[in-house]
Amino acid sequence: MISVVVLTLNEAANLPRCLASIAWSDDVVVLDSGSTDATVEIAQARGARVITRPFDSFAGQRNHAMEHAQFKHSWVLHLDADEVVTEVLREELLAIACAASTRFPVFRVPSRIIFMEQWLKHAGMYPAYQVRFGRADALRFIDHGHGQREVQPPEQVGTLVHPLDHYNFSKGINDWFARHLRYAEHEARQMLAERAQPLRIGDMLSMDATIRRRGLKRIAARLPMRATLRFLYSYVLRRGFLDGIAGLQYARMLAIYQQFIDFNIQQSTASRDHAGTDASTRETRNT
């Protein structure tokens, strides 16, 4: 069988749906960051073990669970409370966990964004992957942007076929923007780091979708008019227009999110330049 970790913070609205989708697991651990709503009570009522830890980062939370949860099983799945495991994904996970051997210690899981009661097949950049499933002794994370990334090199990472359903807008549009305002600072730091990395043309031609996506992000970090380009990428190149009004709305929201990131980049660059000017001025005065 499989142990499951669910990260929560005030997720009373989402948690019942998430827990219902993993009722097949006899070892569910809810790692809560200090909820003030009924999240903990809901988790306990559904038979989940609850661990409380102040949030520092997604990687920090997930690694804490891996190191302290004392799982019953040797395979672990990580979820957020607004995610749902579909029946076909459950069967794929169980097949791997029950196999006598497997080539990979960890696996990428695709995710379908659900917005305005529909799957954003195009504008949502499907399939977008995150490593969320693996052996308990191997599944560890490092911080990357506002999220996390696996520690294994690409050749040690498998890819699942069936996706999670991600109800990213279950708390409303205002909540989505509020979260992405917070994420923008982390993404700005990551984008500045991407600019410092060399461009590798081979990444653009890779058969691995995750490697291609990361290579594109390094190029995008160097381009002007990123908000406009992000809209065009989502709505035109990824054919988000086929998702109807939902695709248009989501592409516009991604462009606004990019503006949040760019504003943080401008602030960070201005602060760094100002600090450099002050240091130069002090040095001049001391000579």
Side-chain angles (χ1 to χ4, degrees), residues 46 121 195 237 256:
R46 299 294 181 98
K121 184 175 182 180
R195 289 180 181 179
L237 291 182
I256 294 170

Side-chain angles (χ1 to χ4, degrees), residues 45-76:
R46 299 294 181 98
R49 293 188 285 136
V50 177
I51 300 173
T52 300
R53 178 179 187 264
F55 185 88
D56 54 0
S57 69
F58 285 103
Q61 293 297 91
R62 298 192 192 284
N63 287 336
H64 181 84
M66 298 308 300
E67 293 160 7
H68 298 283
Q70 299 181 339
F71 298 114
K72 292 182 181 180
H73 305 295
S74 57
W75 287 87
V76 180

Side-chain angles (χ1 to χ4, degrees), residues 53-278:
R53 178 179 187 264
F55 185 88
D56 54 0
S57 69
F58 285 103
Q61 293 297 91
R62 298 192 192 284
N63 287 336
H64 181 84
M66 298 308 300
E67 293 160 7
H68 298 283
Q70 299 181 339
F71 298 114
K72 292 182 181 180
H73 305 295
S74 57
W75 287 87
V76 180
L77 172 68
H78 278 256
L79 298 174
D80 293 335
D82 60 357
E83 294 173 333
V84 168
V85 176
T86 61
E87 291 186 10
V88 287
L89 175 58
R90 178 195 65 196
E91 295 303 319
E92 187 176 10
L93 295 169
L94 291 172
I96 293 171
C98 294
S101 63
T102 181
R103 175 183 171 188
F104 302 107
V106 300
F107 288 81
R108 303 180 190 94
V109 183
S111 176
R112 300 192 302 187
I113 294 177
I114 309 299
F115 178 50
M116 296 177 66
E117 301 184 352
Q118 71 177 73
W119 166 31
L120 292 178
K121 184 175 182 180
H122 304 281
M125 269 69 79
Y126 181 83
Y129 296 96
Q130 290 189 50
V131 169
R132 294 289 197 84
F133 179 61
R135 293 201 317 259
D137 61 347
L139 191 57
R140 296 295 185 276
F141 304 90
I142 56 175
D143 291 319
H144 185 82
H146 77 270
Q148 76 283 313
R149 183 176 284 181
E150 68 282 357
V151 300
Q152 287 81 10
E155 62 270 17
Q156 294 181 17
V157 180
T159 302
L160 299 186
V161 174
H162 300 293
L164 295 165
D165 281 348
H166 187 190
Y167 291 85
N168 200 17
F169 302 89
S170 55
K171 295 182 181 179
I173 298 297
N174 288 344
D175 175 80
W176 187 92
F177 275 117
R179 283 185 284 120
H180 283 72
L181 274 170
R182 297 194 301 271
Y183 296 162
E185 182 178 354
H186 299 285
E187 289 296 325
R189 287 199 294 267
Q190 183 60 42
M191 188 165 284
L192 288 170
E194 298 282 2
R195 289 180 181 179
Q197 296 184 20
L199 293 176
R200 293 188 291 268
I201 301 302
D203 289 353
M204 310 302 115
L205 306 176
S206 173
M207 297 296 293
D208 188 306
T210 301
I211 293 176
R212 288 199 308 273
R213 183 168 175 264
R214 292 173 181 175
L216 285 170
K217 288 185 72 173
R218 281 194 289 272
I219 290 178
R222 293 166 165 83
L223 296 176
M225 300 177 62
R226 286 183 292 272
T228 299
L229 291 174
R230 191 158 187 174
F231 173 84
L232 292 174
Y233 179 72
S234 174
Y235 193 67
V236 179
L237 291 182
R238 294 302 299 257
R239 298 184 297 169
F241 57 86
L242 295 177
D243 293 321
I245 295 298
L248 175 60
Q249 292 283 67
Y250 186 64
R252 292 172 61 190
M253 291 167 64
L254 288 179
I256 294 170
Y257 177 41
Q258 185 62 55
Q259 290 178 319
F260 295 164
I261 297 170
D262 290 345
F263 180 71
N264 276 272
I265 289 174
Q266 291 168 8
Q267 282 194 315
S268 178
T269 302
S271 297
R272 185 178 58 195
D273 291 346
H274 182 69
T277 300
D278 286 349

